[in-house]
Structures are given as structure tokens and as C-alpha cells.
Amino acid sequence: MRKIILVVTILLFGINANAQVNEKELLNKNAEAAKKADDTTNVGWKRGGNIVFLFNQSAFNNDWLGGGTANMAGSLGLNYDFNYKAGKIVWDNKIIGSYGLTKLKGQDMVKSDDRLEFTSLFGRKAGQGNWYYSWYLNFKTQMDSGFDPKTGVKISHFFSPAYFQSGPGMLWKKSDNLKLNIAPATSKLIFVHDHFTQLGSAFGVEQGKSSRYEFGAALNGYYKLNLMENISMENILNLYSNYLDKPQNVDIDYQMNLVMKVNKYISTNVAFQALYDDNARGAFQIREVFGLGVNYGF
């Protein structure tokens, strides 16, 4: 009798252990299948962006004793992403463009915002983690002429200056909303029309020349998060150190775009940008835009 009970116990234990193993294998297979399905779903091009028109105004009648100058400002902006994924390949592209004007009562209309930037990041999977071998490309310039606010002299226009960066590196990408690229061998070209360098250097380009070559290290980070429902924050950080000239003077370009949605078409937008480039100006350049936005997503 004891032998029979022992045999039955062993059989039951074996069946239970085998069932647990089979259940574990089934769970693993289901997880792998879900992961493959997710990868298959995300294969190909993923496009999205928005166009936003920002407007703000201050007005005072003739009897207003508190002081102030009536003003009106508006800007048009584009933020568009088109990313590709297939197997071990990722290719992320972003276009940012904006142009704004401000009118103060009794004064001429002046430019308040002007930029055009394209970034492309190509990566191929390196191992099983979130790392990719990458190639980075960035181009930025402006669309209209710029004038010195003190003298009124033209100091820039389209493609003057224009900045181009490109080089190999390593990309860490958790998702489309969180990634970091490290490019330790990046070439940088600065272009400017030679009439801006007739009397001296401009934007780091030497007198009488129209371009400047730099070689250094670039670090580029991107992080987009939802602070709360209908409030999102986009952070873009670009750092560059020129090995050939004062590598300790790191060029900094930080951009923050905060969107507070009212509904599908209306939002309050805040754009902030901090620039440091000792070749252009030995101090931080700050740009801040705040206004009520009319959005069109596509």
C-alpha cells in the first residue's frame, strides 16, 4: 500500500511540475509573440506633426494711467517628425521651422522669431539592448534678414549663417520620445556670405572668408513627456565641443516646447531656447515665446 501511495505521489508531483514548466513556456511564447506583433505593427514609416499659429496682444486706451505701449505679435511654427523602423534599422527625422513678427505702436514691425532646422539620425541595432550604431546629421539656418537692434545694420540673412553637422556615433534609444546620441567624431561647417566678413570675423568665420571647418564631439538628447493630462513638454539638447579650437568652450543649444491643450485646435504654447556659441557671442542668447495657439495636427 505504501508503495502504491509513493508511486501515485511521484506521478502527481511529476505531472504538476510538468504543468508548471508548460505554463511557463506558454507565457514566454505569448510574450515573445506579443513583442514580435508589436515590432511588426511599428514597422515602416511613422509620420506626425503640427502647425501652430501663436498670437498675443497688449492694448491701452488714451486714458490708461498705468503706462505701457500697445503691441501685437504673431508667429507661425512647424514641428514635423517622420521616422522609419524595420528590423534592426531605425531612421528618425525632424523638421522645425518658425517665423514671427512684432509690432510696437509708433515703431516699424520687427522680426521676433526665425529658424529652420532639420535633424536626421540613422541607426543600426548593436546587440540586444537599446544601443545602435548611428550616423547623425543636423542643418540649421534662418529664413529672413536680421538687423542689429542698436544700429539697424543687417547682420544676417538666409543661409548666413548656416550650420551643418555630421558624424558617426552611438545611439541609445528607449523610444521615439527618449533618445541620446553620442558622436565623438563630428564635422561641423559654418557658412556665411563674405560681405559679412569684409571688415572682420562673423559667427566664427575669419575675415574675408565664407566658411569655417570644425572637428569635435557632439551630444544630442531628446525627451518628450506628459506633465499631466493635455500638457506635454518637449526637450531638445545639442552640445558640441571643437577639438581644434578651445574645446573647453562647449556650444550649447537647448530648446523647450510646452503645449497646454484646450481642445483639438486651441492651445497655450510656450517656447524657450537658450544658445551659447562663443564664436557668435560670448554670452547666452535667450529666446522665449508665449501665446495662444491655433493648432493643426497632421
Side-chain angles (χ1 to χ4, degrees), residues 9 50 73 93 96 112-113 180 191 196 200-201 244 261 270 294:
T9 301
N50 72 298
N93 302 276
I96 297 177
S112 59
D113 191 11
L180 178 69
F191 299 97
F196 290 120
S201 62
L244 307 179
K261 289 185 178 180
V270 180
V294 180

Side-chain angles (χ1 to χ4, degrees), residues 138-142 155-165 187-197 202-206 209-214:
N138 176 265
F139 168 78
K140 57 184 176 182
T141 185
Q142 61 188 53
I155 55 175
S156 61
H157 59 62
F158 176 68
F159 215 83
S160 291
Y163 301 90
F164 178 85
Q165 289 186 26
S187 293
K188 180 178 179 179
L189 284 168
I190 304 172
F191 299 97
V192 63
H193 198 285
D194 55 13
H195 59 235
F196 290 120
T197 62
F203 304 100
V205 179
E206 295 179 359
K209 297 184 178 181
S210 59
S211 64
R212 170 187 170 99
Y213 175 77
E214 298 180 357

Side-chain angles (χ1 to χ4, degrees), residues 246-259:
K246 300 177 182 177
Q248 71 277 9
N249 293 350
V250 178
D251 295 343
I252 302 171
D253 184 353
Y254 170 71
Q255 303 174 45
M256 186 277 292
N257 300 306
L258 183 68
V259 179

Side-chain angles (χ1 to χ4, degrees), residues 272-293:
F272 174 83
Q273 185 175 16
L275 285 171
Y276 180 83
D277 184 348
D278 65 325
N279 290 321
R281 187 179 296 273
F284 271 99
Q285 304 173 61
I286 303 295
R287 179 182 68 90
E288 185 267 326
V289 180
F290 174 81
L292 182 67

Side-chain angles (χ1 to χ4, degrees), residues 3 6 24 49 52 55 58 83 126 138 166 171 173-174 180 184 192 198 202 205-206 210 254 262 278 286 289 291-292:
K3 291 182 179 180
L6 180 61
K24 185 176 181 180
V52 57
F55 178 80
S58 297
N83 301 335
N138 176 265
S166 185
L171 166 66
K173 181 177 179 180
K174 182 69 173 179
L180 178 69
V192 63
Q198 288 179 353
V205 179
E206 295 179 359
S210 59
Y254 170 71
V262 177
D278 65 325
I286 303 295
V289 180
L292 182 67

Side-chain angles (χ1 to χ4, degrees), residues 118-148:
F118 170 69
T119 301
S120 184
L121 187 56
F122 180 85
R124 190 182 190 282
K125 197 78 169 180
Q128 299 298 319
N130 296 319
W131 286 97
Y132 296 80
Y133 303 110
S134 67
W135 192 277
Y136 167 77
L137 182 148
N138 176 265
F139 168 78
K140 57 184 176 182
T141 185
Q142 61 188 53
M143 296 174 279
D144 197 6
S145 299
F147 298 86
D148 189 300

